[in-house]
Structures are given as C-alpha cells and as structure tokens.
C-alpha cells in the first residue's frame, strides 16, 4: 500500500489564497468559516523534520514523500532533507512504484508535481502506471491517491476508478479507517460530475461524513476507543473542509486549532505510534494541515483541478 498509519450541499473545489509567507492555502466562500495559516508552527515542525532526518529517510519511501510535501507546504525546499528525499525517489522509487502498488506511483507523482518536477523523474515514469490503469483493486487509500494524482495531472478519472471509489465509500464495511474517509472526501471534491454521477458522489459523501461523525472525539478525530490523534485529524479536517457542509467546515477549522495545540516544544507532534518514526510521521502529516488545511490535492505546484469521469 502507498501509505497506512498502522501504518453537504454541493461540491467545493478548493480555491487558493496567498498565505503569510507566499504559500497557497485553501479558501472558503465568503462568509464561511476560514482555516488559519499557522506558518510559524509549520516552520517549527519542518525544522524538527530537517534536524531529525534520519528518522524519516532510513526506511520506506512512503513516509519520505509525506516529508517532502511538508517541506514544500512550509516553503522549505532549500532544506538538506528535501535534497535527500529527491535522491531517495531516484533510488527507491522504482521498487516502490509497482503494478501491485499503483497507489505508490500516484503518491510519487503527487509529490513530484507538488515540487514542480516532471513525474518522469530519474528515468522512471511514475505517472504512466496511474494514467494507464484499468483495474482498481488496491486498498481504498491508494484508490483515493490515484484519483488525486489524475486531478493534478489534468487527466480524466476512469469510470472504473470512480465506481470503485464511490462504491467503497458507500459500502464502508470493508474498513474502519477515518484517515482514508477524509482522504476520499478530498479526492471526490475535484470530480466534475454529470447529474447521474453527482448522485453517486452525494451518496458517497454522505456515507463518509456519517462515519467521520462517529469517529469524532472532542474537537478532533481518531479510531474508536483510542482517542483523537494527529495523524487522523490531519487527513480528516481537510476532507471535511472540502465537503461543503457549513457545520463540517466549522468542525474542520476547530480540528485545525486542535492540531496546533498538540505541537510539542521541539516542534514535533505525538503520533499514533510513539517511536521516533511514528513521531516523524505525525509531524510530516500535520504540516500541510497547519498551512490552511492543505492536503495531497493542493500542496505546492500543479494543484488538483476539476476533472470529468471518462
């Protein structure tokens, strides 16, 4: 899988406004609740990431890609860790992006596009497996990443992928994973739907939001019985922010405020897993959400656009 942590009215397409240090952040319609741009807190977090880079770069490529997106979101692409990650994409990317892990190809594609790079990188075409896929049987996280990668590439969504994502969202009995529910809301927010397809999106969104209502714990989200956590909230809040319902947009903004309160004095965030790698993962995934509830769809360059179902 590309990533795991253990490892409503209408669609809102995320527009952008300029953040306090020139980094794009999503905008709400006039008069709605607005997320903040916690640039200083994000900067402190990426200083932690850069000074603890061994906890990020010694293993699988997936967490490194989250680190790259965090650095891009905070405007710190001059950090030494960012150069290390780009080199690791060349070294680890070909074995990470495989026919059985097309979601991994999508995550590399998202990261490279966000960095302003071509997805044909270091001699490997990471976008190719995503744009040519015709069967979709990976974990739902990966399918959401596939959709977001296509939206960033400006490519239509294959009908089979659209059906898979909306059916999985509506059924929902296959997994208890609020993280993926939030990411799926983000992916669906950029689909340019026909009236018939809009009905499927509306049903999918309603099912996802209902499950997230059940995962809400205080001002944040987490797995049932385990309390709220940074990793889940960092994925759920941007998804709910894009869902369109004013009440859930307000919840998303409150969730962002909760995230700020979880930052430790050294800039890091406590993760679901309290190992150095777990703390690093929570920290990298929190940073985009601090920057105006950014996510995989709109960090950096080549942000997701409305795309039709082909």
């Amino acid at each position: 899988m590309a990533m795991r942590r253990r490892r409503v009215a209408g669609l809102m397409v995320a527009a952008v406004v300029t953040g306090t240090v020139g980094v794009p952040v999503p905008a709400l319609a006039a008069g709605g609740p607005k997320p903040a741009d916690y640039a200083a807190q994000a900067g402190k977090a990426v200083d932690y990431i850069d000074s603890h880079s061994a906890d990020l770069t010694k293993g699988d490529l997936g967490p490194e890609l989250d680190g790259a997106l965090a650095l891009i979101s905070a405007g710190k692409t001059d950090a030494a860790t960012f150069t290390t990650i780009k080199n690791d994409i060349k070294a680890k990317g070909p074995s990470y992006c495989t026919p059985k892990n097309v979601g991994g190809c999508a995550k590399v594609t998202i990261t490279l596009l966000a960095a302003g790079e071509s997805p044909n990188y270091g001699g490997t075409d990471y976008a190719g497996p995503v744009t040519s896929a015709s069967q979709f049987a990976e974990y739902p996280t990966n399918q959401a990443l596939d959709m977001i990668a296509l939206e960033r590439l400006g490519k239509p969504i294959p009908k089979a992928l659209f059906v898979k994502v909306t059916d999985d969202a509506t059924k929902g009995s296959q997994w208890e994973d609020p993280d993926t529910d939030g990411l799926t809301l983000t992916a669906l927010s950029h689909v340019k739907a026909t009236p018939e397809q809009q009905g499927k999106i509306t049903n999918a969104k309603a099912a996802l939001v209902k499950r997230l209502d059940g995962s809400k714990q205080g001002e944040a989200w987490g797995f049932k019985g385990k309390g709220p956590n940074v990793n889940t909230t960092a994925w759920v809040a941007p998804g709910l922010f894009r869902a369109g319902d004013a009440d859930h947009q307000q919840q998303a903004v409150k969730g962002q405020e909760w995230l700020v309160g979880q930052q430790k004095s050294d800039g890091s965030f406590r993760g679901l897993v309290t190992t150095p790698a777990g703390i690093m993962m929570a920290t990298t995934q929190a940073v985009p959400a601090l920057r105006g509830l950014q996510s995989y769809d709109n960090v950096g360059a080549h942000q997701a656009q409305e795309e039709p179902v082909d």
Side-chain angles (χ1 to χ4, degrees):
M1 296 181 291
M3 66 177 90
R4 294 284 294 126
R5 307 223 201 269
R6 310 171 262 229
R7 105 162 138 107
V8 269
L11 285 172
M12 171 165 287
V13 179
V16 297
V17 295
T18 301
T20 57
V21 292
V23 178
V25 296
L28 277 170
K34 299 182 184 301
D37 182 9
Y38 294 101
Q41 290 86 342
K44 189 173 182 180
V46 297
D47 286 344
Y48 175 90
I49 292 167
D50 198 34
S51 63
H52 294 74
S53 60
D55 296 335
L56 177 66
T57 60
K58 62 186 176 183
D60 183 71
L61 184 61
E64 290 192 58
L65 300 175
D66 284 322
L69 291 170
L71 291 164
I72 294 166
S73 180
K76 296 292 183 70
T77 55
D78 58 344
T81 303
F82 190 72
T83 300
T84 299
I85 295 169
K86 290 177 71 174
N87 289 334
D88 281 352
I89 290 174
K90 295 177 182 177
K92 301 178 183 179
S95 61
Y96 179 72
C97 169
T98 67
K100 292 185 178 180
N101 186 31
V102 176
C105 308
K107 191 174 181 183
V108 178
T109 297
I110 289 166
T111 305
L112 289 170
L113 289 172
E117 300 282 356
S118 167
N120 193 327
Y121 191 74
T124 300
D125 179 10
Y126 293 101
V130 181
T131 57
S132 64
S134 59
Q135 296 183 0
F136 303 94
E138 295 180 23
Y139 190 80
T141 306
N142 285 24
Q143 314 292 220
L145 288 170
D146 291 343
M147 187 173 280
I148 292 170
L150 290 165
E151 292 160 350
R152 277 186 173 262
L153 287 163
K155 301 292 185 181
I157 310 300
K159 184 177 180 180
L161 176 59
F162 175 79
V163 170
K164 173 68 171 163
V165 170
T166 53
D167 283 355
D168 280 350
T170 304
K171 294 172 185 174
S173 59
Q174 303 170 56
W175 76 92
E176 189 235 328
D177 187 351
D179 309 35
T180 295
D181 289 343
L183 187 66
T184 302
L185 282 173
T186 296
L188 289 173
S189 71
H190 301 288
V191 177
K192 186 177 182 180
T194 65
E196 179 183 359
Q197 293 161 353
Q198 184 60 57
K200 289 183 71 69
I201 291 176
T202 299
N203 291 338
K205 286 173 59 180
L208 291 164
V209 170
K210 182 178 180 180
R211 287 203 297 277
L212 290 173
D213 286 344
S215 299
K216 192 168 187 292
Q217 302 180 52
E219 299 293 349
W221 292 265
F223 293 88
K224 293 177 182 177
K226 296 183 179 179
N229 71 78
V230 168
N231 305 73
T232 298
T233 301
W235 280 21
V236 169
L240 284 176
F241 176 76
R242 290 153 176 74
D245 175 86
D247 178 61
H248 288 93
Q249 289 174 352
Q250 185 62 56
Q251 289 180 29
V253 172
K254 291 290 187 182
Q256 186 195 32
E257 294 173 2
W258 179 90
L259 277 175
V260 173
Q262 307 311 303
Q263 189 169 33
K264 297 190 289 187
S265 60
D266 63 359
S268 69
F269 288 79
R270 180 182 179 89
L272 272 171
V273 180
T274 56
T275 62
I279 292 169
M280 179 60 72
M281 181 174 285
T283 304
T284 59
Q285 293 177 345
V287 171
L290 293 175
R291 299 305 314 271
L293 291 179
Q294 291 182 39
S295 188
Y296 294 91
D297 61 334
N298 67 342
V299 169
H302 301 288
Q303 298 180 4
Q305 305 296 317
E306 272 197 333
E307 292 299 333
V309 177
D310 187 2

